[in-house]
Amino acid sequence: MLSTTATALNSKTKAFVLQFRDVGITDIPLVGGKNASLGEMLQQLTPKGISVPDGFATTAHAYRYFVEIAGLEAKLRRLFADLDVEDVLSLRQVGKQARSLILQTPFPDELQEAIVTGYQMLCDRYGPDTDVAVRSSATAEDLPDASFAGQQETYLNVHGVQGVLDACHKCFASIFTDRAISYRQIKGFDHFNVALSVGVQKMVRSDLASSGVMFSIDTETGFKDAALITAAYGLGENVVQGAVNPDEYLVFKPTLKQGFQPILEKRLGTKEIKMVYDLGGSKFTKNVSVPPEQRHQFALSDAEILTLARWACEIEDHYSNVRGIYTPMDIEWAKDGVTNELFIVQARPETVQSQKVQNILRSYELQQKSNILVKGRAVGEMIGQGKARVILDVHKIDQFQAGEVLVTNRTDPDWEPIMKRASAIVTNQGGRTCHAAIIAREMGIPAIVGCGNATTVLQTGQEVTVSCAEGEEGRVYSGLLPFEVKEVALENLPYTRTNILMNVGNPEEAFSLSAIPNDGVGLARMEFIIANQIQAHPLALLHFDQLEDELARYKIAELTAQYEDKAQFFVDKLAQGIGTIAAAFYPKPVIVRLSDFKSNEYANLLGGRQFEPEEENPMIGWRGASRYYDDRYRDGFALECRAMKRVRDEMGLTNVILMVPFCRTPEEGEAVLAEMAKHGLVRGENDLQVYVMCELPSNVTLADEFSEVFDGFSIGSNDLTQLTLGLDRDSSLVARLFDERNKAVKRMIANAIATAKQHNRKIGICGQAPSDYPEFARFLVEQGIDSISLNPDSVLKTLLVIAAVEAG
């Protein structure tokens, strides 16, 4: 006699229809991954507050019974006998014939009756002629890298018994869509071993609200601590199919679980159309235009974003526990415009990033050489190529095309919008620490600086290869030369007592950079975020109504269209940018340097000229600490403080350490700390540490006094070298004299490290030297430095040097 469990299992496998609440994740062979997952969530996650619309599923047995009773398999096998999926015409013809065969074959009475009974149960719960979504769900076992997502059809706003029967029939036929046939063939699945289940689920009235897709992992980088949510108005098919450009939201999962509100990014989509019910029309749904005022609003509130992100965490944790392996999830959600409730309507394991190999190091090598056109200092150990684009005036950067090689005299923050689109950068002026070099490193593109004659030798449209993979000298070669990119697995890397940190400025790269072995971030620069994401001078935002520059006023109005309070735009964007970097490396320390634009760079921001003085030498003028407590800028600094307070207090990213640049005296340091405290950033409260840049001779000679004011030091070897040797590091005339290895500079650094150690203060370095010179890294380790912050492309090679030094 069969046991009760065996009897229940047998009745399940022979049923034509199963209610969602009666199936779980182990029932994929019966009802497919999509429907099994809905049942799993209804059973296990609705008690945790996650809302899932109810429904039922036809079973694999029902599909196979239909095929068998009608004698369809033999006919279908004959159709597929000579199929070549590479032949598009043949694929199209076979698919059409297979679908017609199924659609022309009526359902057996017993199957039809089971579907009708299932639908009537839904109507009993939700009302007569309940509107439902009818979705296909392929059934096959062991699908770690094959989701079958989107291969079969979905029908929305289906209502009435006949409508549901017709939609189920079409779903059965859609097992033989052209794309499904091709997908199975490529993945190695037998067409006749895969069955089809149909899920019939109560519709969520998102046609009156919004819907979208979310992942419990960052889809671009595979960073597993972020949830990515997309949202658009109307039914979710437009988002799933890519027919609309949705809003995007990024939420940090670890501190979200601790009760914080870590929305790292909110990116507005165009959301030009929405899918709605076709009431009284000939179709179930239709697309309509979204009113302009709605397009310029986010489709979700912050509270809704956080709720969805929490649900993504719950779903991911549940499936990871069930499967016994970390399982990032791909989830569809919808908001009901009648009740304003949020619902999860699908969830499946993510199948792209979770399959990728992690910990790979890339190196570049030229396979062939040609005529060298120009030479200069190499930045980054990569190779880039493309057509040259010579631009001498920043006002003509709109001529630049993505993938070109930017050739210019020199760059400043105004050039950054096109720099990130360049395949490489070549400049006449500058040394290894000029703006072009710093930004190129952060963006992971090769640059050659200080060439002297690049803009006269190179011509717009000329094909060139830019090689920075041949040592300190960078070379621009004629033509598009072949090169090889080698990948090395990062295994068995040595441990170092010296902490290896990274310099990171671009939030968009933070998640991918965090995969490089590291102990945190030694320098996160605000300037990149201000120049690229904010673009406007903080005082121009605070005093928007008094702006004299009409063009700047117009551009700021465009940028801040969603903000009545223009200054809040600055706070939001800066908090999101820094928050993203802090989240990428959490819980490791992230040292954030407060803004360090020079007055001429601030003036180049939108509306900036009205608020900035003209200085003969901005490099050693009104910059860094001296601005923060000055009546002419303190209101602008207050916005930075508000943003950093949000990162630490609201997002929960207390791994952020703040750092004051260009602080000339200990008294000035105390004035800055007092200014920060006015805005809730009190050193010592909520574990807040504040460091100071050690980049002036006064920082070294008075290191003992600075130790009383700050928690630690970070040596800025670029400025320290400049001011110790008395030269302008941006001047190509004296660039050859700029060398951190100079005895005077090394003695300064040695003294700073010794004094910091005597006063029990942390001291690291975030300058360029250890990235470029292995012998300089060796010198720092021998002095007992606590940490070395490197450009991402230098981390691994320098780590090996440091490990060797420490090993003796």
Side-chain angles (χ1 to χ4, degrees):
M1 188 171 178
L2 287 173
S3 68
T4 305
T5 304
T7 303
L9 181 61
N10 190 52
S11 66
K12 256 190 179 185
T13 58
K14 295 302 181 184
F16 289 141
V17 165
L18 290 170
Q19 295 296 311
F20 284 164
R21 70 180 76 92
D22 294 329
V23 297
I25 202 63
T26 58
D27 293 316
I28 290 175
L30 298 182
V31 293
K34 193 179 297 180
N35 294 327
S37 182
L38 286 168
E40 180 77 13
M41 289 190 293
L42 267 168
Q43 287 185 52
Q44 305 296 328
L45 296 178
T46 50
K48 296 185 177 182
I50 296 176
S51 301
V52 181
D54 207 353
F56 66 91
T58 66
T59 62
H61 170 65
Y63 172 82
R64 292 191 174 106
Y65 180 82
F66 165 64
V67 170
E68 183 183 344
I69 291 296
L72 290 175
E73 183 169 341
K75 297 175 185 177
L76 289 166
R77 283 192 180 276
R78 282 196 294 274
L79 272 179
F80 283 89
D82 299 317
L83 173 65
D84 177 8
V85 292
E86 300 300 324
D87 183 340
V88 176
L89 292 177
S90 170
L91 174 62
R92 194 173 295 158
Q93 184 178 17
V94 168
K96 184 178 180 180
Q97 288 178 316
R99 293 191 297 276
S100 295
L101 197 56
I102 289 178
L103 288 172
Q104 289 166 11
T105 305
F107 280 162
D109 291 344
E110 51 269 46
L111 173 55
Q112 184 166 307
E113 185 180 327
I115 294 171
V116 170
T117 301
Y119 179 62
Q120 286 173 340
M121 289 174 67
L122 271 183
C123 291
D124 290 342
R125 178 174 176 183
Y126 293 111
D129 284 345
T130 289
D131 48 343
V132 292
V134 182
R135 293 186 172 95
S136 311
S137 182
T139 67
E141 297 183 75
D142 303 319
L143 308 176
D145 64 346
S147 70
F148 286 84
Q151 302 308 314
Q152 287 84 34
E153 298 296 351
T154 291
Y155 300 91
L156 303 177
N157 186 25
V158 178
H159 44 82
V161 168
Q162 194 55 52
V164 170
L165 286 170
D166 289 345
C168 288
H169 207 158
K170 290 176 185 175
C171 281
F172 271 30
S174 76
I175 196 169
F176 294 115
T177 59
D178 299 351
R179 61 185 182 271
I181 295 168
S182 177
Y183 183 86
R184 285 193 296 270
Q185 197 102 336
I186 291 167
K187 289 290 184 180
F189 287 93
D190 187 312
H191 296 296
F192 301 97
N193 283 346
V194 176
L196 191 112
S197 166
V198 179
V200 179
Q201 183 181 38
K202 170 69 179 83
M203 280 289 294
V204 175
R205 290 302 304 268
S206 58
D207 62 307
L208 302 175
S210 57
S211 58
V213 177
M214 61 180 174
F215 288 83
S216 65
I217 190 172
D218 181 59
T219 54
E220 297 303 312
T221 63
F223 181 72
K224 66 181 184 180
D225 283 339
L228 173 69
I229 302 168
T230 62
Y233 298 116
L235 303 174
E237 284 301 287
N238 281 340
V239 177
V240 173
Q241 295 170 2
V244 67
N245 178 17
D247 297 339
E248 289 186 7
Y249 315 103
L250 206 58
V251 183
F252 185 54
K253 288 152 49 181
T255 58
L256 177 72
K257 292 177 180 180
Q258 297 168 22
F260 294 98
Q261 300 173 13
I263 299 175
L264 302 178
E265 184 178 25
K266 294 170 64 176
R267 183 171 295 183
L268 192 71
T270 54
K271 307 185 295 292
E272 293 174 351
I273 58 171
K274 64 177 178 178
M275 185 179 286
V276 298
Y277 282 14
D278 188 13
L279 299 173
S282 59
K283 298 179 180 180
F284 293 131
T285 61
K286 63 181 180 181
N287 276 318
V288 297
S289 293
V290 174
E293 62 272 16
Q294 278 190 298
R295 295 180 198 177
H296 296 115
Q297 296 172 0
F298 286 112
L300 289 174
S301 68
D302 285 2
E304 289 167 337
I305 294 166
L306 294 167
T307 294
L308 287 172
R310 280 191 286 269
W311 287 3
C313 293
E314 291 274 11
I315 293 168
E316 179 186 80
D317 289 347
H318 176 76
Y319 279 83
S320 297
N321 290 334
V322 167
R323 298 182 71 193
I325 185 173
Y326 169 63
T327 305
M329 299 296 290
D330 172 353
I331 303 160
E332 292 180 28
W333 64 271
K335 179 182 176 181
D336 193 301
V338 177
T339 65
N340 286 325
E341 292 176 279
L342 293 168
F343 291 89
I344 300 299
V345 295
Q346 276 194 48
R348 57 169 94 64
E350 190 273 347
T351 56
V352 178
Q353 288 294 344
S354 54
Q355 304 297 316
K356 285 190 176 179
V357 178
Q358 302 296 318
N359 296 332
I360 297 295
L361 169 65
R362 289 182 178 85
S363 60
Y364 292 70
E365 186 177 321
L366 267 182
Q367 301 294 289
Q368 182 183 320
K369 294 186 180 180
S370 66
N371 181 37
I372 298 174
L373 301 173
V374 293
K375 295 185 286 190
R377 302 296 296 274
V379 177
E381 299 177 334
M382 292 165 287
I383 297 171
Q385 55 185 206
K387 290 183 177 179
R389 172 73 64 175
V390 180
I391 303 179
L392 298 178
D393 184 347
V394 72
H395 297 105
K396 295 182 179 179
I397 62 175
D398 60 312
Q399 299 173 1
F400 190 80
Q401 302 296 312
E404 292 180 329
V405 174
L406 173 62
V407 182
T408 189
N409 215 25
R410 59 189 289 271
T411 67
D412 60 36
D414 283 348
W415 292 78
E416 290 181 19
I418 64 166
M419 293 172 75
K420 58 187 174 189
R421 294 160 48 205
S423 61
I425 297 170
V426 182
T427 68
N428 286 343
Q429 299 178 4
R432 292 179 298 102
T433 58
C434 69
H435 178 267
I438 290 169
I439 298 304
R441 289 188 196 96
E442 290 182 353
M443 293 179 175
I445 55 177
I448 302 177
V449 298
C451 296
N453 58 351
T455 56
T456 53
V457 174
L458 303 179
Q459 305 295 316
T460 293
Q462 183 177 11
E463 293 183 332
V464 295
T465 296
V466 177
S467 174
C468 295
E470 302 171 78
E472 287 189 14
E473 184 178 73
R475 298 163 185 168
V476 179
Y477 293 94
S478 175
L480 304 180
L481 304 178
F483 63 90
E484 183 181 6
V485 183
K486 295 180 179 178
E487 296 186 340
V488 179
L490 301 176
E491 296 173 356
N492 303 318
L493 287 172
Y495 166 80
T496 61
R497 294 188 301 277
T498 308
N499 285 335
I500 306 297
L501 309 177
M502 265 196 284
N503 299 334
V504 180
N506 185 357
E508 293 176 7
E509 295 181 337
F511 288 169
S512 56
L513 292 176
S514 68
I516 298 173
N518 69 85
D519 295 306
V521 173
L523 176 63
R525 300 165 62 244
M526 282 188 181
E527 294 83 47
F528 185 96
I529 298 164
I530 294 172
N532 285 273
Q533 268 81 44
I534 298 171
Q535 300 179 34
H537 195 289
L539 295 179
L541 294 167
L542 280 163
H543 303 290
F544 177 73
D545 293 334
Q546 286 83 50
L547 275 184
E548 298 163 3
D549 185 335
E550 288 298 323
L551 180 59
R553 187 182 168 86
Y554 172 78
K555 288 182 176 178
I556 290 173
E558 268 193 322
L559 279 169
T560 62
Q562 296 168 270
Y563 290 83
E564 192 171 330
D565 178 357
K566 304 302 182 187
Q568 191 60 45
F569 170 76
F570 185 98
V571 175
D572 287 355
K573 291 296 182 184
L574 186 58
Q576 289 167 14
I578 294 298
T580 298
I581 296 173
F585 294 85
Y586 183 88
K588 299 170 185 173
V590 172
I591 301 173
V592 177
R593 188 179 70 189
L594 297 164
S595 64
D596 192 27
F597 279 133
K598 289 74 171 174
S599 56
N600 60 325
E601 294 169 341
Y602 265 120
N604 286 332
L605 295 172
L606 291 174
R609 298 202 183 281
Q610 186 173 331
F611 304 98
E612 294 296 327
E614 286 193 19
E615 296 186 275
E616 288 297 322
N617 194 341
M619 183 71 80
I620 53 173
W622 195 41
R623 61 178 283 202
S626 61
R627 298 179 67 96
Y628 304 155
Y629 57 90
D630 191 307
D631 285 338
R632 291 168 295 180
Y633 187 73
R634 61 175 9 126
D635 290 345
F637 181 62
L639 301 184
E640 291 182 37
C641 293
R642 282 170 54 189
M644 293 307 96
K645 184 170 173 59
R646 178 186 294 182
V647 170
R648 290 179 49 83
D649 294 1
E650 295 179 29
M651 296 184 180
L653 295 163
T654 52
N655 58 323
V656 165
I657 297 169
L658 297 179
M659 182 160 66
V660 178
F662 227 75
C663 185
R664 293 175 169 95
T665 67
E667 293 76 21
E668 189 167 58
E670 289 172 346
V672 171
L673 290 179
E675 200 68 30
M676 292 168 64
K678 290 179 187 176
H679 305 289
L681 292 172
V682 180
R683 179 185 164 216
E685 282 189 10
N686 196 20
D687 299 323
L688 174 61
Q689 295 183 66
V690 184
Y691 284 11
V692 66
M693 288 289 292
C694 183
E695 56 190 339
L696 307 167
S698 62
N699 299 143
V700 177
T701 55
L702 296 177
D704 55 341
E705 295 185 31
F706 278 102
S707 293
E708 300 300 316
V709 180
F710 295 102
D711 298 292
F713 299 85
S714 183
I715 298 166
S717 59
N718 300 338
D719 270 328
L720 188 58
T721 300
Q722 172 176 244
L723 295 171
T724 300
L725 298 180
L727 55 83
D728 179 354
R729 61 186 168 119
D730 280 341
S731 170
S732 56
L733 298 174
V734 292
R736 60 190 172 79
L737 299 173
F738 185 95
D739 193 337
E740 301 93 323
R741 296 167 295 182
N742 181 280
K743 187 186 296 184
V745 179
K746 289 174 74 175
R747 189 170 294 178
M748 279 280 193
I749 291 172
N751 289 342
I753 294 172
T755 307
K757 290 291 186 183
Q758 287 169 13
H759 291 80
N760 296 314
R761 289 290 181 254
K762 292 283 188 182
I763 184 163
I765 187 169
C766 59
Q768 184 59 32
S771 295
D772 287 344
Y773 305 119
E775 68 271 26
F776 197 84
R778 188 175 298 114
F779 158 73
L780 293 169
V781 174
E782 289 168 350
Q783 299 305 311
I785 200 163
D786 293 309
S787 63
I788 296 178
S789 192
L790 303 156
N791 296 314
D793 60 358
S794 304
V795 166
L796 293 169
K797 70 171 185 179
T798 310
L799 183 151
L800 297 174
V801 170
I802 291 170
V805 174
E806 290 181 350

